[in-house]
Amino acid sequence: MNEPEVHSVKEPARSIPEPTLRRLPLYYRLLKQLRDGGRTGVSCTMIGTELKLDPTQIRKDIEMTGTVGRPKIGYDVHDLICAIERFLGWDNTIEAFLVGAGSLGEALMGYAGFAECGLQIVAAFDVDPNKCHRVIHDKHVRHVSKLPNLMRRMKVRFGIITVPASEAQQAANLLVEGGVLAIWNFAPAKIEVPERVLVTNEDLYCSLAVLSQKMTRKLAQSRAKGVSKP
Amino acid sequence: MNEPEVHSVKEPARSIPEPTLRRLPLYYRLLKQLRDGGRTGVSCTMIGTELKLDPTQIRKDIEMTGTVGRPKIGYDVHDLICAIERFLGWDNTIEAFLVGAGSLGEALMGYAGFAECGLQIVAAFDVDPNKCHRVIHDKHVRHVSKLPNLMRRMKVRFGIITVPASEAQQAANLLVEGGVLAIWNFAPAKIEVPERVLVTNEDLYCSLAVLSQKMTRKLAQSRAKGVSKP
DNA sequence: TAAATATCGAGAATTAATTCTCGATAAGGA
DNA sequence: TCCTTATCGAGAATTAATTCTCGATATTTA
């Protein structure tokens, strides 16, 4: 039942806390700014002040990437950038297919910053023949029927779904047929895939819920404090 | 130092856990599907099976909305839908201004589902004069210079930022000038606003980090297991 | 050279979130 | 009618994440 725990080196076999993974890109962005500004060293205190986060938390996050700092000095900016890249897998190129060439798909194809993370959208697909045979941001849009074969042939292992909710499952099926390893799903719908496939949902309604609930409570509070029954 | 805790009714003064807020829309979507399918009752067990979540967790989340269930029966689907709507503030219309009429902005303007959450994007703005004076999804696109005044005049309190990272702060400034209460920021950049303004960042790079790190580890594992030094 | 200080790293303490346990209850079948 | 079962709700136990504490260390300043 329990794995033998035989690690050749100090590879982190345990899974990394998701909050940590979500914070690393924030540090990464700041570090690049600092580097471009000519800085070579940085401390957790400074990152914390800049990002309004607890320095200890940042130290623990950085520890995960394997970077060691020096007391009184902090970390080397360049080393840290490289370590985060390596840790997140942003030092290797990942080729991706995008399904759904609507405005959201177009927006993602235009995200220049993805290149820095090693993400390269190599082609887009759509069911609508009118949207096919176009070129958006240098990428060809093809008909979805071509997806599975092309995916296997080009050995692409990553899929991005930007179709409407009603077509999300079909899109997922095509990607699975093509041998996808991980899917980034922007459709507000749950998709059913084999267990081996990693899925991350980018569900805008979940974020909206956080914001609108907080806003509603804030409005209620200010109303209660302000004009309580005029 | 401590508030007197005098609540007229049973308003939840404590803040709601964010994980709960992020799960509620998932239940909401499923419940609407069930309702449209003719179901009137539902149990946590069923929701849990459908969404692959722990039933106890769902029960606790639902408790937050103030809905009570009955043993052996579960909850009334209609009641639960209404309770979630009320709890998230989705039963009232929130009017929003969108800054940045690029493809991402266009995509959000086209999200029909936002209406169900009470979110109504009433106008869009852009710095680029070529993008102005158009109509996208029935909404006018105006020049950003018009934003602060129009926002005050129309009493709009919600802002959505879909400009490139380099222009995010400017966009935020305009919204603050217009008296914004909450901002949904899609630009991959941190924005500086007065403390009273709520901000939720929809940073795609944070999500990408989670996915690419997991994918990288998985690939490393399968490589280790498969061909270990040929 | 010595004192003062900013910082890291390790581990303890705290807080938040999830999962487990169990008694109560309501429906359906024996 | 009574037994069985599915479920809720409350609270305990567990696990995960954050924050605090402190000793060690390297640099700067007196």
Side-chain angles (χ1 to χ4, degrees):
Chain A
M1 270 298 124
N2 44 0
E3 293 110 286
E5 287 285 352
V6 184
H7 301 305
S8 49
V9 274
K10 51 156 197 171
E11 275 303 304
R14 58 252 153 215
S15 84
I16 309 299
E18 196 169 308
T20 294
L21 292 177
R22 296 193 141 270
R23 279 188 300 264
L24 286 173
L26 272 31
Y27 310 154
Y28 182 74
R29 193 175 298 151
L30 175 64
L31 288 165
K32 283 209 161 178
Q33 278 171 23
L34 291 174
R35 186 195 55 187
D36 295 349
R39 274 197 83 88
T40 56
V42 69
S43 71
C44 290
T45 318
M46 178 189 255
I47 300 177
T49 311
E50 206 63 39
L51 261 36
K52 297 194 181 80
L53 292 171
D54 185 88
T56 314
Q57 186 170 64
I58 297 170
R59 203 168 295 133
K60 287 225 191 302
D61 290 341
I62 288 177
E63 211 177 341
M64 292 280 187
T65 69
T67 312
V68 291
R70 292 195 307 166
K72 176 83 188 195
I73 300 296
Y75 305 88
D76 182 81
V77 172
H78 177 259
D79 287 358
L80 202 41
I81 290 174
C82 294
I84 294 176
E85 273 177 354
R86 214 169 336 107
F87 187 73
L88 295 178
W90 287 2
D91 55 340
N92 287 116
T93 300
I94 299 179
E95 298 195 322
F97 273 2
L98 184 144
V99 196
S103 39
L104 180 56
E106 193 175 321
L108 294 186
M109 285 190 261
Y111 255 66
F114 281 161
E116 291 183 69
C117 310
L119 180 66
Q120 207 186 342
I121 300 174
V122 290
F125 297 84
D126 207 292
V127 266
D128 183 353
N130 295 319
K131 286 197 181 141
C132 299
H133 311 299
R134 289 185 305 152
V135 175
I136 303 176
H137 294 293
D138 298 336
K139 281 115 193 172
H140 281 274
V141 181
R142 294 175 218 279
H143 193 259
V144 283
S145 56
K146 306 251 170 56
L147 194 150
N149 276 332
L150 202 56
M151 193 162 184
R152 288 199 179 278
R153 197 134 51 78
M154 292 176 71
K155 293 194 174 20
V156 172
R157 318 300 302 271
F158 193 88
I160 304 175
I161 296 180
T162 51
V163 300
S166 55
E167 279 145 60
Q169 188 57 57
Q170 276 173 267
N173 294 347
L174 288 167
L175 289 167
V176 169
E177 211 185 318
V180 79
L181 275 182
I183 294 177
W184 197 2
N185 176 33
F186 284 79
K190 71 174 199 306
I191 53 174
E192 215 70 63
V193 294
E195 228 191 313
R196 65 173 183 283
V197 180
L198 281 168
V199 177
T200 291
N201 295 301
E202 197 74 38
D203 194 326
L204 296 189
Y205 293 88
C206 297
S207 307
L208 178 59
V210 177
L211 202 49
S212 59
Q213 197 269 351
K214 285 186 183 168
M215 188 167 165
T216 303
R217 291 220 308 148
K218 189 176 238 194
L219 280 171
Q221 266 173 252
S222 65
R223 235 190 294 278
K225 243 184 273 181
V227 199
S228 50
K229 275 187 205 135
Chain B
M1 269 303 122
N2 45 359
E3 293 110 284
E5 285 286 352
V6 184
H7 300 307
S8 48
V9 274
K10 50 156 196 171
E11 277 303 307
R14 58 255 155 213
S15 84
I16 310 299
E18 197 169 308
T20 294
L21 292 176
R22 296 194 143 269
R23 280 188 300 262
L24 285 173
L26 272 29
Y27 310 153
Y28 182 73
R29 193 175 296 148
L30 175 64
L31 288 165
K32 284 207 160 178
Q33 279 171 24
L34 292 174
R35 187 195 56 186
D36 296 348
R39 274 195 85 88
T40 56
V42 69
S43 71
C44 290
T45 318
M46 179 189 256
I47 300 177
T49 311
E50 206 63 39
L51 261 37
K52 297 194 182 79
L53 293 170
D54 184 87
T56 315
Q57 185 171 65
I58 298 170
R59 202 169 295 132
K60 287 224 191 300
D61 289 342
I62 288 177
E63 212 178 341
M64 292 278 187
T65 69
T67 311
V68 292
R70 290 194 309 166
K72 177 85 187 187
I73 301 296
Y75 305 89
D76 182 82
V77 172
H78 178 257
D79 287 359
L80 202 41
I81 289 174
C82 294
I84 293 176
E85 275 177 353
R86 215 171 333 106
F87 187 72
L88 296 178
W90 288 1
D91 55 340
N92 287 117
T93 301
I94 298 179
E95 297 194 321
F97 273 2
L98 184 144
V99 196
S103 40
L104 179 56
E106 193 175 320
L108 295 186
M109 285 190 261
Y111 255 66
F114 281 161
E116 291 182 70
C117 312
L119 180 65
Q120 209 187 339
I121 299 173
V122 291
F125 298 85
D126 208 292
V127 266
D128 183 352
N130 295 321
K131 287 197 181 142
C132 300
H133 312 298
R134 289 183 307 152
V135 174
I136 303 177
H137 295 293
D138 298 336
K139 281 115 193 172
H140 281 274
V141 181
R142 294 175 219 280
H143 193 259
V144 282
S145 58
K146 304 254 169 56
L147 194 151
N149 276 331
L150 200 57
M151 194 163 185
R152 289 200 178 277
R153 197 133 52 76
M154 293 175 71
K155 292 195 176 17
V156 172
R157 317 302 301 273
F158 194 88
I160 303 174
I161 296 179
T162 50
V163 301
S166 55
E167 279 146 59
Q169 188 56 57
Q170 276 175 268
N173 293 347
L174 288 166
L175 290 166
V176 169
E177 211 185 317
V180 79
L181 277 180
I183 294 176
W184 198 2
N185 177 34
F186 285 79
K190 71 175 200 304
I191 53 174
E192 216 69 64
V193 294
E195 227 190 314
R196 65 174 185 282
V197 180
L198 282 168
V199 177
T200 292
N201 295 301
E202 197 75 36
D203 194 326
L204 298 189
Y205 293 88
C206 297
S207 308
L208 178 59
V210 177
L211 202 49
S212 58
Q213 198 269 350
K214 285 185 182 167
M215 188 166 165
T216 302
R217 290 221 307 148
K218 189 177 240 193
L219 280 171
Q221 267 172 251
S222 65
R223 233 189 296 276
K225 243 184 275 183
V227 198
S228 50
K229 275 186 207 136

